[in-house]
Amino acid sequence: GAGVSQTPSNKVTEKGKYVELRCDPISGHTALYWYRQSLGQGPEFLIYFQGTGAADDSGLPNDRFFAVRPEGSVSTLKIQRTERGDSAVYLCASSFQAGVGDEQFFGPGTRLTVL
Amino acid sequence: KNEVEQSPQNLTAQEGEFITINCSYSVGISALHWLQQHPGGGIVSLFMLSSGKKKHGRLIATINIQEKHSSLHITASHPRDSAVYICAVKKWETSGSRLTFGEGTQLTVNP
């Protein structure tokens, strides 16, 4: 009965490096969401998956950001050539399906710091 | 101007006080969520509303669709209620269940 898990919980990297952030949704949840939360702000939408496909990636800020969910379960958010402005908490959420009445369950987040 | 605005940004109360946090939105929505975020980042869903009022324990959430406004009330507040409370909406025109968030209200309840 595990909830949404995210690894690592903290990641410190240097400007220009590549990072991968992992999200394990609740088993059986078909929809998976990535959000980014900067300090003192509310979360902002990045991308959402329905199954294996990215149904909406309109929130990805630029082409340095990419996410995959190859088997419809675990998802990886990938950031190339990291910049200091990428520092934030990256939140993952999952829901049984992507619909109006569906509750999202959030993971604890990965705090990314780019030095 | 943000599509979802919360007030106040910060709120300090004494234990036992009745607390109200407000959320106004400027877009058409199909649902509104109230979320609680504790230090360390974990977010918990408190309520999901599309009309009327919901109650869970000491928490009450109301929504007025015509006025595009929602309130979260906490009765008999307690220090363990200290957290950031976030209002989020599901916009009609967006896909799936993606949410648009307010900036949150930092609540501190002193003993």
Side-chain angles (χ1 to χ4, degrees), chain A residues 55-114:
Chain A
D56 183 351
D57 64 358
S58 62
L60 294 177
N62 52 59
D63 62 6
R64 295 186 297 104
F65 288 74
F66 188 71
V68 296
R69 195 185 184 199
E71 296 178 0
S73 179
V74 171
S75 176
T76 304
L77 178 66
K78 308 180 181 197
I79 310 174
Q80 298 177 319
R81 304 183 305 281
T82 52
E83 300 178 357
R84 293 195 179 90
D86 299 334
S87 296
V89 175
Y90 289 81
L91 294 164
C92 176
S94 71
S95 64
F96 183 65
Q97 59 185 13
V100 170
D102 225 48
E103 182 181 2
Q104 291 184 33
F105 294 84
F106 286 82
T110 293
R111 182 176 298 278
L112 175 66
T113 303
V114 182

Side-chain angles (χ1 to χ4, degrees), chain B residues 45-98:
Chain B
S45 178
L46 298 175
F47 295 103
M48 184 169 62
L49 295 162
S50 55
S51 65
K53 176 179 175 179
K54 285 190 176 180
K55 184 176 190 293
H56 185 254
R58 295 181 294 105
L59 302 179
I60 303 166
T62 64
I63 187 168
N64 185 317
I65 296 294
Q66 288 73 31
E67 294 186 4
K68 295 188 174 179
H69 181 269
S70 175
S71 293
L72 176 69
H73 306 285
I74 305 175
T75 62
S77 59
H78 190 277
R80 66 174 174 266
D81 297 326
S82 298
V84 175
Y85 292 83
I86 302 173
C87 171
V89 301
K90 165 70 175 72
K91 297 195 292 186
W92 274 117
E93 75 269 19
T94 56
S95 56
S97 298
R98 71 176 266 191

Side-chain angles (χ1 to χ4, degrees), chain B residues 92-111:
Chain B
W92 274 117
E93 75 269 19
T94 56
S95 56
S97 298
R98 71 176 266 191
L99 297 174
T100 300
F101 297 80
E103 295 194 349
T105 294
Q106 173 70 63
L107 172 65
T108 303
V109 182
N110 294 318

